[in-house]
Amino acid sequence: MAEEKAGRFPDPHEFKVPPELEGWEEMYPSHHLFSGDRADWEKQQFWYQDKIHAPEPMPPLDLLFQEAWQISLSQYTTRVFCIPPAQGIAQRMVGCYMYICAIAPPPPEVIGEKAELFGKRVFYVFDHYEELWDKWLTKFKALGEEMKALKVPAELPKFVPEDQVLPAPVGFYDSYKLIAAFDTLVNQMFKGWQYHFEMLNLTYLAYLMFGDVCRKLFPGISESAIGKMVAGAYVSMFRPEEELCRLSRLATESPEVAAVLKSSAAVNKKIADLEKTPAGKNWLKAYDAAKDPWFYVSCGSGWLHYEGSWISNPEIPYGYIKSYMERLEKGETIERSLENIDKEREEIVAEYRKLIKTEDDKKSFDGAFNTIRTIYRYAEDHLFWVEHWFHTIWFDKVRKFGKLLVDNGMLNEVDDIFMFHRYEIPELLTEVATAWALGVDIPVRGDFYKTKAEKRRNILKAAGEWNPTPALGIPPEEVAEPFTIMLWGVTTDKVKEWLKGVSSPKAGDVKEIKGFAASAGVVEGPARVLKLLKEIVDLKPGEIIVCPNTNPSWAPVFTNIKAAVTDIGGLTSHAAIVCREYGVPSVTGTGIATSVIKTGDILKVDGDTGVVTIVKRAG
Amino acid sequence: MAYTIIFENLDKRSLPLVGGKNASLGELIKAGIKVPPGFAVTTAGYLDFITQAGIASRIVEILAGLNVEDVSALNSAAAEIQELIKGAHLPEDISGAIETGYAELCHKCGLKAVPVAVRSSATAEDLPTASFAGQQDTYLWVEGADRVVDRVQKCWASLYTPRAISYRVRNQFPHEKVLISVGIQKMVNSKAAGVMFTINPTDGDPSKILIEGNWGLGETVVSGSVNPDKFLVDKVMRETVSRTISTKHIECVYDPVSREVINADTDPERQCQCCLEEREVKALVQAARDIEAHYGRAMDIEWAIDRDFPFPDNLFIVQARPETVWSQRKAESKIGAKSGYQLLLEQAMKRIKVSE
């Protein structure tokens, strides 16, 4: 198998990136690069591009989330809950794109040891899930509040204030605080990501188990049906939308508030106008109460600094409120019907259950179903708290450092801070702290860093034009790691597909793309490619949205689209869940939809099979 | 005892009088399923005919002591009885009842001579344990009262084909207990037609509905003379799990010249075209669910889509009988009785083979 030329991908050590990307290596920490000293091991692995988490060229600082998940996800599988034959997932960067590999199973004696620990540790979690979830949420919120409270100096003082010197010197000052604050911020993010996987591996394992039971009993049952059976209606991910609905209804109760919110004025003006009346003040109070945590929602996946959030773009929630109010006036219902969602789920489960012919199988089905239902909320809830709420707080804090670096002549723009990886930023901060400590008019190496940031932006841009190989190295014999199976859908067929695609066709030649059959149904219609949330204004009813991924901040658009196609996300992604709820066909996790489909192309979306066909190219 | 009864007045209790097929058509109408209109010629019609024509005792004599293993004896006995039935004079009150029934059907359909299907409906058929499927004659596209009466007599005769006689003997059904009724039903002018099962017949999966169809009348699908289009649909979610569009060379259509149905070559552009629209599949699935719910068991159903009506009025169910293969088997557990934790541990130990 390894010897077959045809059955393998390029050797990662011989693979060449385009010359325009020259110098990309320095953008990422050394442990994320393929190297001669690890070559023997690296050559034996199967590396494939992680289009789920890193579909775009990776800004250096944003790699931190990836670094954090690599460690955390893997440790829960290998050292904490000990999923017996499974090991972790390793990452490498190649020309600004991330490749990952599922590590082969450990030796049999290790599997045996892990199996023992697994039984002891895992079943406890299922037995005490509710209580553990409460504990999880409590500590996670506390961590987020800690991060919010972290002080980043807006400027370094001319002289430290009196109270830090007399009656007794504090003993450490802004030069130390600045560097320590960044370290603390990074540690908080890493800690948050340690929490992120606390029960996620087990959730995925339970989901795979339930899916397997369903497929044994009902061969060919769709992923969409399985998803519908396990989904919950009352999940955090939908709260942002629910809060918008509530605020919209509240606004319609007062004509003067309604008039302001329905106008096309800028958000600042709306707020100023609302401040003028008691009813307006009341409404603003309600808005502010909802804002934290529920509007800490990324406009994208939460993985990339340039996506923005509702907090940084209030015109997004205000825009939704305006359109909700218009719909309310037309007499439409704007809320999801939670009761219906629950009722529908129960009906589906009952109907499948009724079809099971033997009592034994019924018992297994019930056991499997109760197990997944116990824990499944974790998959839906953690996403809001970590990727949205927590990341939004993080980006806001990082920009405070960015601003300080701009003010001190180290960078041209606040967001240039994202052009440096997390091990480099302390260097920039130390430079600023040193100059401050040394005294007046001390030069810093600003040009050096400004040039570097500029160069890296250009490398990222060039990387965006490049379509790298889907995989490197030798396909594995077997995989046991639940995420690899569920999120990336690594199967023999998938590997074959990648092998077929080794010489990726040009975007314009692609006729058909594959992803997860996330929500059933077949429709045909015109595509609307939305790379960023702000492009939503162009969306027309009856179009098929094609986007990197969706998240709670996209929810309001689902009521008038024909189908959704995403680059990123598996069967439990936001798009998958929302589409199933609204009965909109959806194919998720295609990896390439936004790069090969153009707005206006006529698509056929088959949510039953996970195939998107480009029926006719636009113009 | 009436010689004819319209389908609306039949249900499963009518079986001794009108046979399995007709009883089930009445039952379907009772369940709110759209069935083309028609009537049954009762078993009383058949019984009175053989009695009054004086051939009943002769039939018994021929069959007494017949060794069905002796093929030539079987064939000649069958031929003799069939000749008796076809050649005997049909009493006026019986033929009159059939003619009247046909005239009323013509009136109902607003046609002078409505084309009908004339189908045998034996009292021992479509039982949950024995299908007796396709043992007796069916005549399609019969127009005019004289022809209808003639085909009824032919159906009666088909109770005594060599195959039917030996099947009864082998399954220990006494001949005199098996009576025959005939169903006379308005022909669906089928754009497409076929069969569906409310179970996956290949693996017995009860959560699926299998639909098979072809252009024209359903006979090509029923007889297996064409590879049909296939849809495997999830019964609960009503989602199509897999769809196979076959190359369908022939279709069964009415030939106005010979005034019969024939298997004609399908025009090339329709051969690889799917014979069903998405909405038609959905409507068929709904009908299959309703029929299964009414009978409380897996069913084998014949459907047809009429080209003369707009959707959804064009969808007709022409037959439904219990599925006999999987329903007879004892269900075997696929997983065994396991707890959620056992299953979770099994999943945790699994490895997915990735390379080949």
Side-chain angles (χ1 to χ4, degrees):
Chain A
M1 146 96 250
E3 279 63 47
E4 282 175 23
K5 258 278 176 264
R8 59 154 308 149
F9 295 91
D11 179 327
H13 297 268
E14 292 162 15
F15 186 70
K16 293 274 178 288
V17 310
E20 297 79 33
L21 274 61
E22 202 203 325
W24 68 269
E25 293 92 339
E26 66 163 45
M27 296 164 66
Y28 309 105
S30 57
H31 55 252
H32 261 83
L33 303 178
F34 284 109
S35 60
D37 43 345
R38 293 189 294 193
D40 287 350
W41 182 83
E42 285 168 344
K43 277 182 200 295
Q44 290 311 310
Q45 308 305 315
F46 174 59
W47 304 90
Y48 56 96
Q49 205 196 327
D50 180 0
K51 291 184 174 173
I52 305 270
H53 300 102
E56 302 283 331
M58 182 67 61
L61 186 53
D62 293 342
L63 183 73
L64 168 121
F65 308 125
Q66 317 289 339
E67 250 191 296
W69 80 242
Q70 168 175 238
I71 291 179
S72 181
L73 177 154
S74 302
Q75 82 182 1
Y76 277 104
T77 296
T78 56
R79 314 277 177 187
V80 183
F81 288 122
C82 305
I83 298 172
Q87 298 222 72
I89 298 177
Q91 303 169 348
R92 294 286 183 274
M93 297 302 294
V94 175
C96 307
Y97 288 95
M98 191 167 82
Y99 287 76
I100 56 174
C101 94
I103 316 265
E109 64 271 19
V110 177
I111 294 180
E113 285 175 79
K114 284 170 82 181
E116 232 164 283
L117 292 168
F118 177 90
K120 222 184 310 186
R121 296 176 180 190
V122 168
F123 301 150
Y124 181 89
V125 172
F126 283 88
D127 286 338
H128 300 83
Y129 178 75
E130 286 302 324
E131 169 197 337
L132 291 175
W133 167 251
D134 287 342
K135 284 196 168 121
W136 186 94
L137 193 55
T138 306
K139 71 189 175 198
F140 199 84
K141 282 181 179 170
L143 179 67
E145 293 306 327
E146 237 177 84
M147 188 185 274
K148 256 193 245 169
L150 182 73
K151 285 200 169 48
V152 184
E155 55 179 4
L156 298 173
K158 189 170 180 187
F159 302 108
V160 296
E162 198 79 33
D163 61 354
Q164 294 187 27
V165 186
L166 297 175
V170 173
F172 60 90
Y173 299 101
D174 296 74
S175 58
Y176 169 84
K177 282 189 211 162
L178 177 62
I179 296 159
F182 186 75
D183 287 346
T184 304
L185 184 64
V186 168
N187 287 338
Q188 286 166 336
M189 182 44 72
F190 265 76
K191 196 181 204 176
W193 270 88
Q194 296 266 311
Y195 290 156
H196 176 282
F197 287 97
E198 197 171 291
M199 291 179 271
L200 196 56
N201 307 47
L202 304 185
T203 305
Y204 277 25
L205 194 64
Y207 188 94
L208 288 170
M209 177 273 294
F210 179 66
D212 197 58
V213 165
C214 288
R215 274 184 284 272
K216 279 203 179 98
L217 295 172
F218 313 112
I221 185 171
S222 71
E223 286 293 351
S224 170
I226 296 167
K228 273 200 157 146
M229 281 196 266
V230 303
Y234 302 86
V235 291
S236 317
M237 261 189 4
F238 287 104
R239 269 297 285 278
E241 189 190 356
E242 284 159 18
E243 292 298 322
L244 288 178
C245 292
R246 207 174 49 80
L247 288 166
S248 306
R249 281 197 188 273
L250 184 66
T252 53
E253 288 168 17
S254 150
E256 50 202 343
V257 173
V260 173
L261 288 169
K262 281 193 317 203
S263 75
S264 1
V267 172
N268 286 345
K269 169 125 180 44
K270 284 184 182 179
I271 293 172
D273 289 346
L274 289 169
E275 292 282 11
K276 290 175 190 159
T277 65
K281 276 202 177 98
N282 266 341
W283 187 88
L284 282 173
K285 219 194 300 187
Y287 183 94
D288 286 337
K291 186 166 77 176
D292 188 9
W294 304 117
F295 296 170
Y296 279 65
V297 173
S298 164
C299 300
S301 58
W303 294 88
L304 295 158
H305 70 271
Y306 51 76
E307 292 167 331
S309 68
W310 286 14
I311 292 293
S312 58
N313 304 285
E315 59 277 10
I316 292 167
Y318 274 85
Y320 283 143
I321 288 167
K322 181 172 185 272
S323 66
Y324 275 140
M325 289 169 70
E326 285 159 2
R327 285 175 52 197
L328 278 172
E329 278 176 11
K330 284 187 212 149
E332 290 178 33
T333 310
I334 54 175
E335 289 85 0
R336 294 158 64 234
S337 163
L338 299 176
E339 275 169 31
N340 278 1
I341 293 161
D342 269 353
K343 204 171 112 226
E344 190 196 5
R345 187 190 65 235
E346 280 158 27
E347 279 168 5
I348 291 170
V349 173
E351 205 173 333
Y352 276 117
R353 193 178 182 281
K354 213 172 75 188
L355 293 166
I356 302 172
K357 289 226 161 58
T358 70
E359 285 311 309
D360 284 1
D361 283 345
K362 273 199 170 115
K363 180 175 184 288
S364 287
F365 178 82
D366 291 345
F369 178 70
N370 294 331
T371 303
I372 182 61
R373 280 291 294 160
T374 298
I375 202 165
Y376 188 70
R377 270 199 67 164
Y378 190 84
E380 297 166 323
D381 282 335
H382 84 279
L383 188 69
F384 171 80
W385 289 106
V386 185
E387 278 92 329
H388 292 278
W389 185 68
F390 198 57
H391 281 204
T392 300
I393 300 168
W394 155 270
F395 286 126
D396 180 53
K397 287 287 167 192
V398 170
R399 287 191 168 94
K400 289 200 163 51
F401 286 100
K403 173 134 188 0
L404 185 90
L405 290 167
V406 171
D407 293 345
N408 286 274
M410 296 286 286
L411 298 175
N412 283 326
E413 293 185 28
V414 172
D415 275 14
D416 282 350
I417 191 172
F418 294 101
M419 294 302 113
F420 297 90
H421 64 68
R422 70 158 172 123
Y423 306 91
E424 291 176 316
I425 289 166
E427 198 177 287
L428 276 79
L429 296 172
T430 305
E431 172 84 334
V432 171
T434 306
W436 175 78
L438 286 172
V440 183
D441 292 338
I442 307 297
V444 291
R445 296 194 62 191
D447 281 350
F448 173 75
Y449 290 108
K450 287 173 183 171
T451 311
K452 215 184 252 276
E454 179 65 19
K455 179 184 165 192
R456 291 177 179 190
R457 281 198 183 282
N458 289 331
I459 293 175
L460 287 173
K461 204 189 276 159
E465 308 289 305
W466 175 48
N467 193 4
T469 173
L472 295 160
I474 301 164
E477 292 290 333
E478 48 190 16
V479 170
E481 201 286 312
F483 289 88
T484 312
I485 298 160
M486 202 167 143
L487 274 181
W488 291 281
V490 175
T491 57
T492 310
D493 288 348
K494 194 85 174 182
V495 172
K496 271 200 202 133
E497 251 170 71
W498 285 329
L499 275 169
K500 271 197 305 212
V502 167
S503 50
S504 309
K506 283 204 177 61
D509 300 340
V510 177
K511 295 259 183 309
E512 192 179 88
I513 54 180
K514 283 200 66 142
F516 294 101
S519 177
V522 185
V523 290
E524 217 170 278
R528 169 69 57 184
V529 181
L530 302 168
K531 284 268 193 179
L532 294 167
L533 183 64
K534 60 172 186 259
E535 296 161 353
I536 276 188
V537 291
D538 303 328
L539 182 72
K540 295 180 185 64
E543 287 183 324
I544 294 171
I545 54 168
V546 180
C547 51
N549 71 332
T550 73
N551 63 62
S553 70
W554 293 63
V557 308
F558 281 84
T559 44
N560 58 6
I561 56 167
K562 219 173 198 169
V565 180
T566 72
D567 289 343
I568 314 167
L571 298 160
T572 56
S573 65
H574 176 266
I577 294 167
V578 183
C579 285
R580 287 197 288 264
E581 274 202 16
Y582 287 111
V584 170
S586 171
V587 175
T588 60
T590 61
I592 54 171
T594 58
S595 53
V596 301
I597 296 168
K598 298 272 173 292
T599 291
D601 288 353
I602 303 298
L603 305 181
K604 180 175 171 208
V605 178
D606 188 335
D608 302 342
T609 56
V611 176
V612 179
T613 317
I614 300 166
V615 180
K616 196 165 142 272
R617 287 284 184 183
Chain B
M1 191 58 83
Y3 290 139
T4 62
I5 307 175
I6 56 169
F7 291 156
E8 285 84 343
N9 296 339
L10 300 174
D11 61 32
K12 56 178 178 280
R13 290 164 309 178
S14 327
L15 191 132
L17 198 57
V18 297
K21 247 195 204 72
N22 289 332
S24 114
L25 289 170
E27 194 61 30
L28 286 170
I29 294 169
K30 287 257 185 313
I33 305 291
K34 202 148 67 259
V35 173
F39 63 96
V41 180
T42 62
T43 51
Y46 164 75
L47 265 177
D48 287 1
F49 158 66
I50 56 171
T51 319
Q52 291 172 30
I55 55 177
S57 52
R58 183 72 195 108
I59 294 172
V60 177
E61 269 166 45
I62 297 169
L63 291 171
L66 171 69
N67 175 11
V68 295
E69 303 303 322
D70 179 346
V71 177
S72 73
L74 174 67
N75 286 345
S76 67
E80 193 180 346
I81 297 171
Q82 291 194 60
E83 281 317 306
L84 275 176
I85 293 175
K86 285 183 206 164
H89 175 71
L90 184 57
E92 265 69 30
D93 54 347
I94 302 176
S95 62
I98 298 171
E99 284 159 8
T100 308
Y102 179 72
E104 281 167 5
L105 184 62
C106 289
H107 179 73
K108 190 185 281 185
C109 300
L111 288 167
K112 229 174 34 222
V114 64
V116 291
V118 179
R119 289 193 182 90
S120 308
S121 173
T123 53
E125 69 170 14
D126 294 358
L127 306 170
T129 48
S131 70
F132 282 79
Q135 299 228 347
Q136 276 80 42
D137 285 358
T138 288
Y139 298 92
L140 298 176
W141 222 281
V142 182
E143 290 169 312
D146 297 354
R147 282 169 167 257
V148 170
V149 173
D150 172 72
R151 298 301 186 277
V152 169
Q153 217 164 329
K154 285 204 168 87
C155 283
W156 288 339
S158 72
L159 193 55
Y160 296 98
T161 59
R163 196 173 127 217
I165 295 170
S166 72
Y167 188 91
R168 283 196 291 273
V169 171
R170 285 191 192 140
N171 287 281
Q172 299 180 331
F173 271 85
H175 295 293
E176 58 278 11
K177 285 268 160 62
V178 180
L179 298 174
I180 187 159
S181 154
V182 179
I184 288 142
Q185 184 176 36
K186 178 188 181 294
M187 263 327 280
V188 177
N189 187 7
S190 296
K191 172 185 71 167
V195 174
M196 55 183 175
F197 286 86
T198 66
I199 188 168
N200 185 345
T202 52
D203 60 7
D205 173 6
S207 72
K208 302 289 185 297
I209 291 169
L210 175 76
I211 302 175
E212 294 190 329
N214 184 19
W215 299 112
L217 301 174
E219 309 315 297
T220 51
V221 181
V222 175
S223 63
S225 49
V226 82
N227 275 343
D229 290 337
K230 280 189 197 324
F231 300 80
L232 192 62
V233 182
D234 184 301
K235 194 188 288 177
V236 180
M237 307 302 291
R238 303 164 193 239
E239 299 162 359
T240 303
V241 177
S242 71
R243 102 173 35 81
T244 314
I245 309 303
S246 309
T247 309
K248 306 170 291 293
H249 300 92
I250 53 163
E251 58 181 337
C252 179
V253 290
Y254 175 66
D255 172 29
V257 178
S258 61
R259 296 185 66 189
E260 286 185 338
V261 295
I262 53 160
N263 281 347
D265 290 338
T266 307
D267 27 296
E269 67 271 17
R270 277 190 310 131
Q271 287 190 5
C272 300
Q273 201 188 336
C274 181
C275 69
L276 280 170
E277 299 169 21
E278 198 66 41
R279 61 184 185 172
E280 291 167 345
V281 172
K282 279 200 164 36
L284 285 172
V285 166
Q286 183 58 50
R289 282 178 56 116
D290 292 345
I291 294 168
E292 182 175 59
H294 179 79
Y295 283 87
R297 57 181 324 132
M299 299 293 286
D300 163 354
I301 300 160
E302 289 175 36
W303 54 269
I305 292 176
D306 199 312
R307 68 175 86 239
D308 298 335
F309 298 99
F311 180 85
D313 305 332
N314 57 351
L315 193 140
F316 291 97
I317 299 299
V318 294
Q319 197 48 248
R321 60 184 78 85
E323 188 276 344
T324 49
V325 179
W326 291 95
S327 311
Q328 290 307 304
R329 290 197 194 175
K330 191 176 172 330
E332 281 173 25
S333 168
K334 293 185 167 61
I335 301 171
K338 289 178 183 161
S339 71
Y341 291 172
Q342 260 172 303
L343 292 160
L344 198 65
L345 187 59
E346 280 175 22
Q347 180 66 46
M349 294 302 287
K350 249 183 223 150
R351 305 180 188 192
I352 309 280
K353 276 263 178 272
V354 171
S355 53
E356 286 189 341

